[in-house]
Amino acid sequence: MSQIESAFGIYIHWPFCAKKCPYCDFNSHVRDSIDHDQWLKAYLNELRYYANETSVNTVTSIFFGGGTPSLMKPVVIEAILEEIKRLWTCSESLEITAEANPSSSEIQLFEDFKQAGINRLSIGVQSFDDAVLGFLGRLHNSKEAEKAINAAAHTFDRFSFDLIYALPDQTPDQWRRQLSDALQMAGDHLSLYQLTIEPGTAFHKDRVAAANEDTGTELFEITQELMDQAGLPAYEISNHARPGEESRHNLVYWRGQAYLGIGPGAHGRLMGADFETEMIHNFREPEKWLELASTKDLGMQKRRALTAIERRDEIVLMSLRLTEGLSADHFHTLTGTDLADTLDQDRLQALEKVGFVSFGDGVLKATKEGRQRLNAVLSHLLV
Ligand code: SF4
């Protein structure tokens, strides 16, 4: 029997932002006007459609992501949450997160978001340095970032903020100072991402280069050192929390558990009989999804069962991001198969020998060194 409790998450995607950041490859768009009522109806249609087949699950987490969901009207958030609670049983410790940006108008709405039902806020701070915020194309400044954090700490029991590091020319000393300062304001969770230049972004087009690999590795090590000292160790490659304060919703993904994705570009994983797992992908383009979800109740583009190998690969790929790794018991609960039997023993042993993974006591883990080069480790392991 797995030690990991069963979980079922619902993700709601709001695809709009006030401005597109030059490094962003999320499904986010800028529009002059948005009909919030029409969007609400479409979200409710899609929720009702999936409730028919998933209402036996107890919802353990809800996540409003984007885009910038703090631009949603609080009444829309409230109506979505009321409908979820009407359609499903929700866990007593239901985690309801919304992502927010630190602009003044959004800060003023934090109390309304709380009244609407949000109980955890994740703020896109990215940096406390105005020059860096300008480089990243953010609309807020460092003062607003601090205000947003103070307001979140005052309003919500649980909050987190994101920072981006490994910027061009960022030195280890600078990052050490910036992260130490940030820790003075942190709650019990921080997300710390290295800048990556993704195809299709303005940074990619302009050939902006992130920090080189050696500097990136050094900055990553500084991050682990400072976060360990602060009592917020990494529980995932880029996510750090005081034990017990991890994002329950994101753990659903990394632990290969079931979730619904509602909204444009959202994806879901539903589990059926005989360990069958279906993947669902929605249309990405906001207006296309809106039209379908308004008229046909759902904006789904693709739905199919994963093969056993696809399912194994995604479970291993996601869970090796976690410090806790992947227990053979949990893998068996998800797939009905034996983890060791599904892996190539020669390849596994080669990775153990060089110290990139361990498989002791029935738990497969990437070591700290392994997590730093996880893509290479996975492509060697998953054949
Ligand atoms: S605010 Fe976030 S989602 Fe929106 S464009 Fe910037 S990085 Fe992307």
Side-chain angles (χ1 to χ4, degrees):
M1 192 56 194
S2 169
Q3 297 296 307
I4 294 172
E5 286 174 15
S6 65
F8 183 73
I10 299 181
Y11 175 80
I12 313 278
H13 190 79
W14 176 259
F16 303 116
C17 289
K19 175 181 179 252
K20 184 81 181 174
C21 303
Y23 58 90
C24 174
D25 74 335
F26 298 138
N27 187 22
S28 63
H29 309 262
V30 179
R31 297 286 185 266
D32 288 339
S33 72
I34 297 156
D35 182 341
H36 285 248
D37 289 343
Q38 196 189 354
W39 276 83
L40 172 60
K41 280 185 198 135
Y43 286 127
L44 297 182
N45 281 350
E46 205 164 68
L47 283 166
R48 287 171 192 146
Y49 178 89
Y50 286 114
N52 284 331
E53 55 180 303
T54 63
S55 61
V56 295
N57 293 282
T58 296
V59 178
T60 50
S61 64
I62 301 168
F63 195 102
F64 291 86
T68 308
S70 51
L71 296 176
M72 292 171 88
K73 288 187 180 165
V75 287
V76 172
I77 291 182
E78 189 173 6
I80 290 172
L81 292 175
E82 271 175 13
E83 190 64 1
I84 291 175
K85 287 175 185 168
R86 192 181 72 77
L87 295 168
W88 284 270
T89 304
C90 291
S91 125
E92 272 179 27
S93 55
L94 178 66
E95 175 187 272
I96 309 176
T97 305
E99 291 177 333
N101 277 334
S103 80
S104 322
S105 54
E106 291 165 63
I107 296 170
Q108 284 170 14
L109 291 176
F110 285 2
E111 188 57 45
D112 294 343
F113 291 135
K114 185 183 178 183
Q115 295 306 323
I118 300 297
N119 60 23
R120 181 175 181 274
L121 205 70
S122 174
I123 312 167
V125 166
Q126 316 312 355
S127 174
F128 292 101
D129 179 325
D130 285 334
V132 171
L133 288 168
F135 164 74
L136 291 173
R138 304 294 300 192
L139 288 173
H140 64 271
N141 58 32
S142 54
K143 282 224 159 54
E144 285 175 312
E146 285 178 31
K147 259 196 196 162
I149 292 169
N150 288 336
H154 183 73
T155 314
F156 298 96
D157 290 341
R158 301 176 71 210
F159 74 95
S160 175
F161 59 86
D162 297 0
L163 295 177
I164 296 180
Y165 69 102
L167 302 156
D169 303 326
Q170 189 174 33
T171 66
D173 279 350
Q174 281 169 346
W175 174 233
R176 193 177 276 281
R177 247 191 339 269
Q178 286 160 352
L179 183 53
S180 302
D181 291 347
L183 276 164
Q184 304 295 317
M185 283 176 271
D188 294 328
H189 190 286
L190 271 190
S191 299
L192 305 168
Y193 300 104
Q194 295 204 24
L195 178 66
T196 52
I197 309 296
E198 303 295 341
T201 62
F203 273 180
H204 191 262
K205 209 168 113 222
D206 296 343
R207 297 171 187 268
V208 171
N212 68 40
E213 205 181 317
D214 288 347
T215 309
T217 303
E218 197 176 342
L219 300 183
F220 180 82
E221 279 163 6
I222 290 170
T223 307
Q224 311 315 308
E225 177 200 321
L226 293 188
M227 297 308 290
D228 284 350
Q229 280 170 11
L232 283 79
Y235 66 97
E236 190 268 349
I237 292 180
S238 308
N239 284 279
H240 303 254
R242 226 170 275 295
E245 290 303 324
E246 299 85 2
S247 159
R248 287 173 219 150
H249 186 81
N250 287 335
L251 281 175
V252 169
Y253 305 142
W254 294 318
R255 287 174 170 167
Q257 294 170 307
Y259 59 93
L260 267 183
I262 302 294
H267 54 96
R269 290 289 180 278
L270 295 184
M271 295 179 199
D274 299 327
F275 302 102
E276 184 180 89
T277 299
E278 286 188 293
M279 61 85 111
I280 300 172
H281 276 197
N282 284 353
F283 280 100
R284 242 178 107 80
E285 211 259 315
E287 286 72 23
K288 169 103 184 159
W289 177 86
L290 182 65
E291 191 205 324
L292 286 171
S294 301
T295 55
K296 295 192 167 38
D297 295 347
L298 83 167
M300 180 180 66
Q301 182 176 26
K302 250 191 285 180
R303 177 172 184 165
R304 69 169 175 85
L306 295 175
T307 65
I309 285 292
E310 284 174 331
R311 182 67 175 135
R312 176 207 68 173
D313 285 0
E314 76 169 13
I315 294 171
V316 172
L317 189 141
M318 295 303 264
S319 49
L320 288 198
R321 300 182 64 88
L322 292 170
T323 312
E324 70 182 21
L326 172 61
S327 78
D329 281 352
H330 183 57
F331 186 79
H332 193 270
T333 303
L334 294 175
T335 65
T337 55
D338 188 276
L339 178 59
D341 289 350
T342 70
L343 297 171
D344 180 304
Q345 291 305 308
D346 291 341
R347 286 172 175 265
L348 178 61
Q349 280 163 20
L351 288 168
E352 283 184 301
K353 209 164 162 193
V354 289
F356 291 162
V357 301
S358 66
F359 197 7
D361 297 330
V363 181
L364 178 67
K365 284 184 189 177
T367 60
K368 207 158 135 196
E369 292 70 30
R371 280 201 299 279
Q372 271 185 54
R373 43 182 75 74
L374 193 58
N375 289 343
V377 168
L378 289 166
S379 55
H380 187 78
L381 184 61
L382 299 175
V383 285

